[in-house]
Amino acid sequence: MLDFPYVKKRDADLSTNVTVKTNKLNVYYGSSHALKDINITLYDKTITAFIGPSGCGKSTLLRSINRMNDTIPGAKITGDIFIDGVNIQTESIQATALRKHVGMVFQKPNPFFKSIFENIAFALRIHGVSKKDIEAVVEESLKRVGLWDEVKDRLQDSALQLSGGQQQRLCIARTIAMNPSIILLDEPTSALDPISTEKIEQLLQELKRDFTIVIVTHNMHQAARISDYTAYFHLGNMVEIGHTEQIFTAPQQSRTHDYLSGKFG
Amino acid sequence: MNAKQMDRLATLFFYLVAILIVCTLIGLLGFILFKGISYISWDFLTEAPGSYILGEVGGIAPMLFNSFYLLILTMIITLPIGIGGGIYMAEYAKPTRFTKFLRLCMEVMSSLPSIIIGLFGLLLLVQYTGWGYTLAGGALALTIFNLPLMVRVVEQAITAVPKDQKEASLALGITHWQTITKIMLPVALPGIVTGTILAAGRIFGEAAALLFTAGMSSPNLDFTNWDPTAVSSPLNPFRPAATLSVYIWKVNSDSLSTQTAAIVSGGSAFILICVVLLFTIFARLLGKYIYRRLTSS
Amino acid sequence: MKERGNTSLAEKLQTPARRIFWTEWRGRSITYVSVWIVILILLSLLWFITSKGLQPFLNGEITLSQFFSTNWSPQDNKFGSLYIMLGSFMVTIGATLISAPLGISAAIFMTEIAPKWGKKVLQPATEILVGIPSVVYGFIGLTLLVPFIGKLIGGIGFGLLSGILVLSIMILPTIISISVDAIEAVPQKYREGSYALGATRWQTIWKIVLKTALPGLMTAVVLGMARAFGEALAVQMVIGNVPNAPFHFFISIHTLTSMITQNMGNTVPGETFNQILWSMALVLLLMTLVFILVIRLITRRRDVS
């Protein structure tokens, strides 16, 4: 029997607009075949969780959606990824321009070695946002992640003085300040304490109203608590995807069941 | 002898070697500093050189000025190329044949004897250009001498920047170039500053590359004339210029073991060592200070 | 957050971003130009020194066998430079024989015997030794070492031994710092395995650490040799500068670098003596390339095994 006391109930009004769709996506790192023939669809303004044992390819798929894999030497990608119907694997799409619209938050909080204000303002300035707007956007983003009251009096202090949980929320603020359509999160709470984790989980529920969210997590309870859809990966294959409620109560595949019941992982 | 005794004997030997090396260093520095300090006076620092062959001690003011001026000229040329090259090596060099060739070039260039660089300078910057011995020629020769080191300093400093800083910036849709210049270079700055000042110490003491490029003598300098195009101006980059290191060599090879030569070169060596030691200490302190400013302000 | 503008994601993705392209292109080009400057400088240096060094042979001023003979007498237009080249080799080998064991021992001391003391005292000491300019080494040799040897042995004190001693101190820091890197790269588990078998520290160092670090240590020694071979001023100041056969510790000799340093300014461009000096520079350059080749061979063998 699977034992997940807090499985998220299926929302009645889930969007059916497709945001991301892959077609026979394969990723190779040198000679290792990291992702095999992935066909996955992600829907607008939902949270999808990728789960699976380490090395199963879940982070690789995440990093394909904003083409961060391009930065890894020796990475090779075949197949297509469509975002809002546009194939991002084609020559005419610049990875740099794409990443403005597909934000990413990393496993370890990685604020820039700059002030709290500058952490958010930096990218805005480079992308040509006017000085007046920058201050407004910084404030709005910090309010959005619930950090404003904690830092409003010390915006010029180094971001490295914040706690780990605050740093991660700053990283999320930095990402949403770009006003992306999709936010990718790569195990965003694995380095955080339970209280900071809970704050971020609540935050993601809020952000879902405006953004399509994809989260890779090592913690299946977290996936069960917060996501609308859950995909299970194993050895580079996507074994199963479905509504979270269904995956955690009645998985179709025995491998998914074995993983969720703790037989391996 | 059993293994235990052998082990103790070996340990003793290693301690002796370490003590020998430290004592040698203390002996060398002590010799220069204690012997040299008695020759130092305000006049020695501020006056023009005397004719030491006739027994006049004189001063080292023009040489001291030349050394610093040449250092500044060299750094102005080296820094941009060194930073550009270091960035290429750290961030843009892909594992191709060209990169392998490039690394070989850097290796060869950094092992070139400095006298060879001086000869190349003589050929190209003195004879071919028709400039004769000039500060500009000296600065370009020192640039060749210094470039491979600068490239390595910058490359290592950039490579040491935590990878997550780069990823964070790229993930915000910032170009690789802007990520390098606006995110990675500031974090790499302490390493670059430390390495640059250490390199400056090396340039300050270099002589072999300068003998046949900047020359072994200076014209009479008028320290009130700061027009860089005037012949007697200290700032004129197209005049010959003996540096402090070259002067030490020149004095010693001109006048074997006279009392005056000993005083002049002893005093000059004292100043040279002091400047180089100050560079070394300053490099460490400044690197630490910038690092603290960057991570905590 | 409010939408800024109403364009769809698909439209945004398809808007070409020229500014991004040009920023990246410009930056990348700057770095590319920088490395090409370095390459072109090196290639032209190699070309100029080589062509200048070959000139006396191509012009028929001297034959190779004359150049590699021992008959040196410039006033008779004889430029047999063998003793001068051998002089360079002798000071290099002599300095290496002293510095290699000392430098590697110091590196062992810093990594295996007393890392704390080593890092605190010996490492800064090495860094200061590196920083001392070579004219200062020459000056110390000239005013301290040469008179001392002269008093001890009799004679003037200039010569092979003085050159060897000055060079051995100069190349010591090179050998120490690269040896430290090589020894530190030996995995800790090798040492633990050896201690677990009951070996003493000395046995572990001798049989495990040194053996594993050997390619790195050899690189350190060869780099030290390259530095000794190319060093000019310090050697020139203490060697005596007479082209004798370099097989005796206490007589004045010449090396390639001392000959070039002493005479390049005193000979007229175009005359045979001057041309021969450039040929010596070419020999010096070729030897530098040989040292680099040796290092490449040593490190390549490590990559294979």
Side-chain angles (χ1 to χ4, degrees), chain B residues 140-217:
Chain B
L140 288 170
L142 286 181
T143 298
I144 303 176
F145 172 75
N146 192 35
L147 251 184
L149 178 67
M150 261 339 281
V151 168
R152 195 167 56 217
V153 163
V154 174
E155 181 188 358
Q156 282 175 352
I158 291 180
T159 314
V161 174
K163 202 167 154 259
D164 62 7
Q165 293 287 309
K166 179 181 171 185
E167 284 197 316
S169 175
L170 289 178
L172 288 168
I174 293 165
T175 59
H176 194 178
W177 174 247
Q178 282 170 321
T179 299
I180 293 166
T181 51
K182 301 233 160 84
I183 295 292
M184 303 177 78
L185 271 187
V187 181
L189 198 63
I192 296 176
V193 167
T194 307
T196 305
I197 300 176
L198 287 177
R202 212 171 76 115
I203 292 177
F204 198 86
E206 175 56 29
L210 292 175
L211 292 183
F212 308 122
T213 50
M216 298 173 224
S217 60

Coordinates of all heavy atoms in Angstrom, one line a residue, chain B residues 140-217:
Chain B
L140 N 57.4 47.1 -24.6 CA 56.9 46.1 -25.5 C 57.6 44.7 -25.2 O 56.9 43.7 -25.2 CB 57.0 46.5 -26.9 CG 56.0 47.6 -27.4 CD1 56.3 48.1 -28.8 CD2 54.6 47.0 -27.3
A141 N 58.9 44.8 -25.0 CA 59.6 43.6 -24.7 C 59.1 43.0 -23.4 O 58.9 41.8 -23.2 CB 61.1 43.8 -24.6
L142 N 58.9 43.8 -22.4 CA 58.4 43.3 -21.1 C 57.0 42.8 -21.2 O 56.6 41.9 -20.5 CB 58.4 44.5 -20.0 CG 59.8 44.8 -19.5 CD1 59.7 45.9 -18.4 CD2 60.5 43.6 -18.9
T143 N 56.2 43.4 -22.2 CA 54.9 42.8 -22.4 C 55.0 41.4 -22.9 O 54.2 40.5 -22.4 CB 54.2 43.7 -23.5 OG1 54.1 45.0 -23.0 CG2 52.8 43.1 -23.9
I144 N 55.9 41.1 -23.8 CA 56.1 39.7 -24.3 C 56.5 38.8 -23.1 O 56.0 37.7 -23.0 CB 57.2 39.6 -25.4 CG1 56.8 40.6 -26.5 CG2 57.4 38.2 -25.9 CD1 57.9 40.6 -27.6
F145 N 57.3 39.4 -22.2 CA 57.8 38.6 -21.1 C 56.6 38.3 -20.1 O 56.5 37.3 -19.5 CB 58.9 39.5 -20.4 CG 59.4 39.0 -19.1 CD1 60.2 38.0 -19.0 CD2 59.0 39.7 -17.9 CE1 60.7 37.5 -17.8 CE2 59.5 39.3 -16.7 CZ 60.4 38.2 -16.6
N146 N 55.7 39.3 -20.0 CA 54.7 39.2 -19.0 C 53.4 38.6 -19.4 O 52.6 38.1 -18.6 CB 54.4 40.7 -18.5 CG 53.6 40.7 -17.2 OD1 53.7 39.8 -16.4 ND2 52.7 41.7 -17.1
L147 N 53.1 38.7 -20.8 CA 51.8 38.3 -21.3 C 51.4 36.8 -20.9 O 50.2 36.7 -20.4 CB 51.7 38.4 -22.8 CG 50.9 39.5 -23.3 CD1 50.9 39.5 -24.9 CD2 49.5 39.4 -22.8
P148 N 52.2 35.8 -21.1 CA 51.7 34.5 -20.8 C 51.4 34.3 -19.3 O 50.4 33.7 -18.9 CB 52.9 33.6 -21.1 CG 54.1 34.5 -21.4 CD 53.5 35.8 -21.7
L149 N 52.1 35.0 -18.4 CA 51.8 35.0 -17.0 C 50.5 35.6 -16.7 O 49.6 35.1 -16.0 CB 52.9 35.7 -16.2 CG 52.7 35.7 -14.7 CD1 52.7 34.3 -14.1 CD2 53.7 36.6 -14.0
M150 N 50.2 36.8 -17.3 CA 49.0 37.5 -17.1 C 47.8 36.7 -17.6 O 46.7 36.6 -17.0 CB 49.0 38.8 -17.9 CG 49.3 40.1 -17.2 SD 49.1 40.1 -15.4 CE 47.4 40.3 -15.3
V151 N 47.9 36.0 -18.8 CA 46.9 35.2 -19.3 C 46.5 34.1 -18.3 O 45.4 33.8 -18.0 CB 47.3 34.6 -20.7 CG1 46.3 33.5 -21.1 CG2 47.3 35.7 -21.7
R152 N 47.6 33.5 -17.8 CA 47.4 32.4 -16.8 C 46.7 32.9 -15.6 O 45.8 32.2 -15.0 CB 48.7 31.7 -16.5 CG 48.4 30.3 -15.9 CD 49.7 29.5 -15.8 NE 50.7 30.2 -15.2 CZ 52.0 30.1 -15.6 NH1 52.4 29.4 -16.6 NH2 52.9 30.8 -14.9
V153 N 47.1 34.0 -15.1 CA 46.5 34.6 -13.8 C 45.0 34.8 -14.1 O 44.2 34.4 -13.2 CB 47.2 35.9 -13.5 CG1 46.3 36.7 -12.5 CG2 48.6 35.7 -12.9
V154 N 44.7 35.4 -15.2 CA 43.3 35.7 -15.4 C 42.5 34.4 -15.6 O 41.4 34.2 -15.1 CB 43.1 36.7 -16.7 CG1 41.7 36.8 -17.0 CG2 43.8 38.0 -16.4
E155 N 43.1 33.5 -16.4 CA 42.4 32.2 -16.7 C 42.1 31.5 -15.3 O 41.0 31.1 -15.1 CB 43.2 31.3 -17.6 CG 42.5 30.0 -17.9 CD 43.4 29.0 -18.6 OE1 44.6 29.4 -18.9 OE2 42.9 27.9 -18.9
Q156 N 43.1 31.4 -14.5 CA 42.9 30.7 -13.2 C 41.9 31.4 -12.3 O 41.0 30.8 -11.7 CB 44.2 30.5 -12.5 CG 45.1 29.4 -13.1 CD 46.4 29.3 -12.4 OE1 46.8 30.2 -11.7 NE2 47.2 28.3 -12.8
A157 N 41.9 32.7 -12.3 CA 41.0 33.5 -11.5 C 39.5 33.3 -11.9 O 38.6 33.1 -11.1 CB 41.3 35.0 -11.4
I158 N 39.4 33.2 -13.3 CA 38.0 33.1 -13.8 C 37.5 31.6 -13.6 O 36.4 31.4 -13.2 CB 37.9 33.4 -15.3 CG1 38.1 34.9 -15.4 CG2 36.6 33.0 -15.9 CD1 38.1 35.4 -16.9
T159 N 38.4 30.7 -13.8 CA 38.0 29.3 -13.6 C 37.6 29.0 -12.1 O 36.8 28.1 -11.9 CB 39.2 28.4 -14.0 OG1 39.7 28.8 -15.2 CG2 38.8 26.9 -14.1
A160 N 38.2 29.8 -11.2 CA 37.9 29.6 -9.8 C 36.6 30.2 -9.3 O 36.2 29.9 -8.2 CB 39.1 30.1 -8.9
V161 N 36.0 30.9 -10.2 CA 34.6 31.5 -9.9 C 33.6 30.4 -9.7 O 33.6 29.5 -10.6 CB 34.2 32.5 -10.9 CG1 32.8 33.0 -10.6 CG2 35.1 33.7 -11.0
P162 N 32.8 30.3 -8.6 CA 31.9 29.2 -8.5 C 31.0 29.1 -9.7 O 30.5 30.2 -10.2 CB 31.1 29.6 -7.3 CG 31.9 30.6 -6.5 CD 32.8 31.2 -7.5
K163 N 30.7 27.9 -10.2 CA 30.0 27.7 -11.4 C 28.6 28.2 -11.3 O 27.9 28.6 -12.3 CB 30.0 26.2 -11.7 CG 29.8 25.9 -13.2 CD 30.1 24.4 -13.5 CE 29.3 23.9 -14.7 NZ 28.2 23.1 -14.3
D164 N 28.0 28.1 -10.0 CA 26.6 28.5 -9.9 C 26.4 30.0 -10.2 O 25.3 30.4 -10.6 CB 26.1 28.1 -8.5 CG 26.8 28.8 -7.4 OD1 27.6 29.7 -7.6 OD2 26.5 28.4 -6.2
Q165 N 27.4 30.8 -10.1 CA 27.3 32.2 -10.4 C 27.0 32.4 -11.9 O 26.2 33.2 -12.3 CB 28.5 33.0 -10.0 CG 28.8 33.1 -8.5 CD 27.8 34.1 -7.9 OE1 27.6 35.2 -8.3 NE2 27.1 33.6 -6.8
K166 N 27.8 31.6 -12.7 CA 27.7 31.7 -14.1 C 26.3 31.2 -14.5 O 25.6 31.8 -15.3 CB 28.8 30.8 -14.7 CG 28.7 30.8 -16.2 CD 29.9 29.9 -16.7 CE 29.7 29.6 -18.2 NZ 30.8 28.7 -18.7
E167 N 25.9 30.0 -13.9 CA 24.6 29.5 -14.3 C 23.4 30.4 -14.0 O 22.5 30.6 -14.8 CB 24.4 28.1 -13.6 CG 25.2 27.0 -14.1 CD 24.7 25.7 -13.7 OE1 24.4 25.6 -12.4 OE2 24.5 24.7 -14.5
A168 N 23.5 31.0 -12.8 CA 22.5 31.9 -12.4 C 22.3 33.0 -13.4 O 21.2 33.4 -13.8 CB 22.8 32.6 -11.0
S169 N 23.4 33.6 -13.9 CA 23.3 34.7 -14.9 C 22.8 34.2 -16.2 O 21.9 34.8 -16.8 CB 24.7 35.3 -15.0 OG 24.7 36.3 -16.0
L170 N 23.4 33.1 -16.7 CA 22.9 32.6 -18.0 C 21.4 32.3 -18.0 O 20.7 32.5 -18.9 CB 23.7 31.3 -18.4 CG 25.1 31.5 -18.7 CD1 25.8 30.1 -19.0 CD2 25.3 32.4 -19.9
A171 N 20.9 31.8 -16.8 CA 19.5 31.4 -16.7 C 18.6 32.6 -16.7 O 17.4 32.5 -16.9 CB 19.3 30.6 -15.5
L172 N 19.2 33.8 -16.5 CA 18.4 35.0 -16.6 C 18.4 35.6 -18.0 O 17.9 36.7 -18.2 CB 18.9 36.0 -15.6 CG 18.6 35.7 -14.1 CD1 19.4 36.6 -13.2 CD2 17.2 35.8 -13.8
G173 N 18.9 34.8 -19.0 CA 18.9 35.3 -20.3 C 20.0 36.4 -20.6 O 19.8 37.2 -21.5
I174 N 21.0 36.3 -19.8 CA 22.1 37.3 -20.0 C 23.2 36.6 -20.9 O 23.4 35.4 -20.7 CB 22.7 37.7 -18.6 CG1 21.6 38.5 -17.9 CG2 24.0 38.5 -18.8 CD1 21.9 38.7 -16.5
T175 N 23.7 37.3 -21.8 CA 24.7 36.7 -22.7 C 25.9 36.2 -22.0 O 26.2 36.6 -20.9 CB 25.1 37.7 -23.8 OG1 25.7 38.8 -23.2 CG2 24.0 38.1 -24.7
H176 N 26.6 35.3 -22.7 CA 27.8 34.7 -22.1 C 28.8 35.8 -21.8 O 29.4 35.9 -20.7 CB 28.4 33.7 -23.1 CG 29.5 32.8 -22.5 ND1 30.1 31.8 -23.1 CD2 30.0 32.8 -21.2 CE1 31.0 31.2 -22.4 NE2 30.9 31.8 -21.2
W177 N 29.0 36.7 -22.8 CA 29.9 37.8 -22.6 C 29.6 38.7 -21.4 O 30.5 39.1 -20.6 CB 30.0 38.6 -23.9 CG 30.8 39.9 -23.8 CD1 30.4 41.1 -23.9 CD2 32.3 39.9 -23.7 NE1 31.5 42.0 -23.8 CE2 32.6 41.2 -23.7 CE3 33.3 38.9 -23.6 CZ2 34.0 41.7 -23.5 CZ3 34.6 39.3 -23.4 CH2 34.9 40.7 -23.4
Q178 N 28.3 39.1 -21.3 CA 27.9 40.0 -20.2 C 28.0 39.2 -18.9 O 28.4 39.8 -17.8 CB 26.5 40.5 -20.4 CG 26.6 41.7 -21.4 CD 25.2 42.1 -21.8 OE1 24.3 41.3 -22.0 NE2 25.0 43.4 -22.0
T179 N 27.8 37.9 -18.9 CA 27.9 37.1 -17.7 C 29.4 37.1 -17.3 O 29.7 37.2 -16.1 CB 27.5 35.6 -18.0 OG1 26.2 35.6 -18.4 CG2 27.7 34.7 -16.8
I180 N 30.3 37.0 -18.3 CA 31.7 37.0 -17.9 C 32.1 38.4 -17.4 O 32.7 38.5 -16.3 CB 32.6 36.7 -19.2 CG1 32.3 35.3 -19.6 CG2 34.0 37.0 -18.9 CD1 32.9 35.0 -21.0
T181 N 31.8 39.5 -18.1 CA 32.3 40.8 -17.7 C 31.6 41.3 -16.4 O 32.2 42.0 -15.6 CB 32.1 41.8 -18.8 OG1 30.8 41.8 -19.3 CG2 33.1 41.5 -20.0
K182 N 30.3 41.0 -16.3 CA 29.5 41.7 -15.2 C 29.4 40.8 -14.0 O 29.2 41.3 -12.9 CB 28.2 42.1 -15.7 CG 28.2 43.0 -16.9 CD 27.4 44.3 -16.7 CE 27.8 45.4 -17.6 NZ 27.2 45.4 -18.9
I183 N 29.5 39.5 -14.1 CA 29.3 38.6 -13.0 C 30.6 37.9 -12.6 O 31.0 38.0 -11.4 CB 28.2 37.5 -13.3 CG1 26.9 38.2 -13.5 CG2 28.2 36.5 -12.1 CD1 26.3 38.8 -12.3
M184 N 31.3 37.3 -13.6 CA 32.4 36.5 -13.2 C 33.7 37.3 -13.0 O 34.4 37.1 -12.0 CB 32.7 35.5 -14.3 CG 31.5 34.6 -14.6 SD 31.7 33.5 -15.9 CE 32.7 32.2 -15.1
L185 N 33.9 38.3 -13.8 CA 35.1 39.2 -13.6 C 35.2 39.8 -12.2 O 36.2 39.8 -11.5 CB 35.3 40.2 -14.7 CG 36.1 39.8 -15.9 CD1 36.3 41.0 -16.9 CD2 37.4 39.2 -15.6
P186 N 34.0 40.4 -11.8 CA 34.1 41.0 -10.4 C 34.5 40.0 -9.3 O 35.2 40.3 -8.4 CB 32.7 41.6 -10.2 CG 32.2 41.8 -11.6 CD 32.8 40.8 -12.4
V187 N 33.9 38.8 -9.5 CA 34.2 37.8 -8.5 C 35.7 37.3 -8.6 O 36.4 37.0 -7.6 CB 33.3 36.5 -8.6 CG1 33.6 35.5 -7.5 CG2 31.8 37.0 -8.5
A188 N 36.2 37.3 -9.8 CA 37.6 36.9 -10.1 C 38.6 38.0 -9.7 O 39.8 37.8 -9.7 CB 37.8 36.5 -11.5
L189 N 38.1 39.2 -9.4 CA 39.0 40.4 -9.3 C 40.1 40.2 -8.2 O 41.2 40.5 -8.5 CB 38.1 41.6 -8.9 CG 38.9 42.9 -9.2 CD1 39.2 43.1 -10.6 CD2 38.0 44.1 -8.7
P190 N 39.8 39.7 -7.0 CA 40.9 39.5 -6.0 C 42.0 38.7 -6.6 O 43.2 39.1 -6.4 CB 40.2 38.8 -4.9 CG 38.7 39.0 -5.0 CD 38.5 39.2 -6.5
G191 N 41.7 37.6 -7.3 CA 42.7 36.8 -7.8 C 43.5 37.5 -8.9 O 44.8 37.4 -9.0
I192 N 42.8 38.3 -9.7 CA 43.5 39.0 -10.8 C 44.4 40.1 -10.2 O 45.5 40.2 -10.7 CB 42.5 39.6 -11.8 CG1 41.7 38.5 -12.5 CG2 43.1 40.5 -12.8 CD1 40.6 38.9 -13.4
V193 N 43.9 40.8 -9.2 CA 44.7 41.9 -8.6 C 46.0 41.3 -8.0 O 47.1 41.8 -8.2 CB 43.8 42.6 -7.6 CG1 44.7 43.5 -6.7 CG2 42.8 43.5 -8.3
T194 N 45.8 40.2 -7.2 CA 47.0 39.6 -6.5 C 48.0 39.2 -7.6 O 49.2 39.5 -7.5 CB 46.5 38.4 -5.7 OG1 45.5 38.8 -4.8 CG2 47.7 37.9 -4.9
G195 N 47.5 38.5 -8.6 CA 48.4 38.0 -9.6 C 49.1 39.1 -10.4 O 50.3 39.0 -10.7
T196 N 48.3 40.2 -10.6 CA 48.9 41.3 -11.4 C 50.0 42.0 -10.6 O 51.1 42.3 -11.1 CB 47.8 42.3 -11.7 OG1 46.8 41.7 -12.4 CG2 48.4 43.4 -12.6
I197 N 49.8 42.2 -9.3 CA 50.8 42.8 -8.5 C 52.1 42.0 -8.4 O 53.2 42.4 -8.4 CB 50.3 43.3 -7.1 CG1 49.1 44.2 -7.3 CG2 51.4 43.9 -6.3 CD1 48.4 44.6 -6.1
L198 N 51.9 40.6 -8.2 CA 53.0 39.7 -8.2 C 53.8 39.8 -9.5 O 55.0 39.9 -9.5 CB 52.6 38.3 -7.9 CG 52.1 38.0 -6.5 CD1 51.6 36.6 -6.3 CD2 53.2 38.3 -5.5
A199 N 53.0 39.9 -10.6 CA 53.7 40.0 -11.9 C 54.4 41.3 -12.0 O 55.5 41.4 -12.6 CB 52.6 39.9 -13.0
A200 N 53.8 42.4 -11.4 CA 54.5 43.7 -11.4 C 55.8 43.6 -10.7 O 56.8 44.2 -11.2 CB 53.6 44.7 -10.7
G201 N 55.9 42.8 -9.6 CA 57.2 42.7 -8.9 C 58.2 42.0 -9.8 O 59.4 42.4 -9.8
R202 N 57.8 41.0 -10.6 CA 58.7 40.3 -11.5 C 59.2 41.3 -12.6 O 60.4 41.3 -12.9 CB 57.9 39.2 -12.2 CG 58.7 38.0 -12.5 CD 57.8 36.8 -12.9 NE 57.3 37.0 -14.2 CZ 57.6 36.2 -15.3 NH1 58.4 35.1 -15.1 NH2 57.1 36.4 -16.4
I203 N 58.3 42.1 -13.1 CA 58.7 43.1 -14.2 C 59.7 44.1 -13.6 O 60.6 44.4 -14.3 CB 57.4 43.8 -14.7 CG1 56.5 42.9 -15.4 CG2 57.8 45.0 -15.5 CD1 55.2 43.6 -15.9
F204 N 59.4 44.5 -12.4 CA 60.2 45.5 -11.7 C 61.7 45.1 -11.6 O 62.6 45.9 -11.8 CB 59.6 45.9 -10.4 CG 60.1 47.2 -9.8 CD1 59.5 48.4 -10.1 CD2 61.3 47.2 -9.0 CE1 60.0 49.6 -9.7 CE2 61.7 48.4 -8.5 CZ 61.1 49.6 -8.8
G205 N 61.8 43.8 -11.4 CA 63.2 43.3 -11.2 C 63.9 42.8 -12.5 O 65.1 42.5 -12.5
E206 N 63.1 42.7 -13.6 CA 63.7 42.1 -14.8 C 64.7 43.0 -15.4 O 64.5 44.3 -15.5 CB 62.5 41.9 -15.8 CG 62.9 41.4 -17.2 CD 63.8 40.1 -17.1 OE1 63.6 39.3 -16.2 OE2 64.6 40.0 -18.0
A207 N 65.8 42.4 -15.9 CA 66.9 43.2 -16.5 C 67.3 42.7 -17.9 O 67.5 43.5 -18.8 CB 68.1 43.3 -15.6
A208 N 67.3 41.4 -18.0 CA 67.9 40.8 -19.3 C 67.1 41.2 -20.5 O 67.7 41.4 -21.6 CB 68.0 39.3 -19.1
A209 N 65.8 41.3 -20.4 CA 65.0 41.7 -21.5 C 65.1 43.2 -21.9 O 64.7 43.6 -22.9 CB 63.5 41.3 -21.3
L210 N 65.8 43.9 -21.0 CA 65.8 45.4 -21.2 C 67.2 45.9 -21.6 O 67.3 47.0 -22.2 CB 65.5 46.1 -19.8 CG 64.0 45.9 -19.4 CD1 63.9 46.6 -18.0 CD2 63.1 46.6 -20.4
L211 N 68.2 45.1 -21.4 CA 69.6 45.5 -21.8 C 69.6 46.1 -23.2 O 70.2 47.1 -23.5 CB 70.6 44.4 -21.7 CG 70.9 43.8 -20.3 CD1 71.9 42.7 -20.4 CD2 71.3 44.9 -19.3
F212 N 69.0 45.3 -24.1 CA 69.1 45.7 -25.5 C 67.9 46.2 -26.1 O 67.6 46.3 -27.3 CB 69.6 44.4 -26.3 CG 70.8 43.8 -25.8 CD1 70.7 42.4 -25.4 CD2 72.0 44.5 -25.6 CE1 71.8 41.8 -24.9 CE2 73.1 43.8 -25.1 CZ 73.0 42.5 -24.7
T213 N 66.9 46.7 -25.2 CA 65.7 47.3 -25.7 C 65.5 48.7 -25.2 O 65.3 49.6 -25.9 CB 64.4 46.4 -25.4 OG1 64.5 46.1 -24.0 CG2 64.4 45.2 -26.2
A214 N 65.5 48.8 -23.8 CA 65.4 50.1 -23.2 C 66.8 50.7 -23.0 O 66.9 51.9 -22.8 CB 64.7 50.1 -21.9
G215 N 67.8 49.9 -23.2 CA 69.2 50.4 -23.1 C 69.7 50.4 -21.7 O 69.1 50.1 -20.7
M216 N 71.0 50.8 -21.6 CA 71.7 50.8 -20.3 C 72.1 52.2 -19.8 O 72.8 52.3 -18.8 CB 73.0 50.0 -20.4 CG 72.8 48.6 -20.9 SD 74.3 47.7 -21.2 CE 73.9 46.9 -22.7
S217 N 71.5 53.2 -20.4 CA 71.8 54.6 -19.9 C 70.6 55.4 -20.1 O 69.6 55.1 -20.8 CB 72.9 55.2 -20.8 OG 72.5 55.2 -22.1

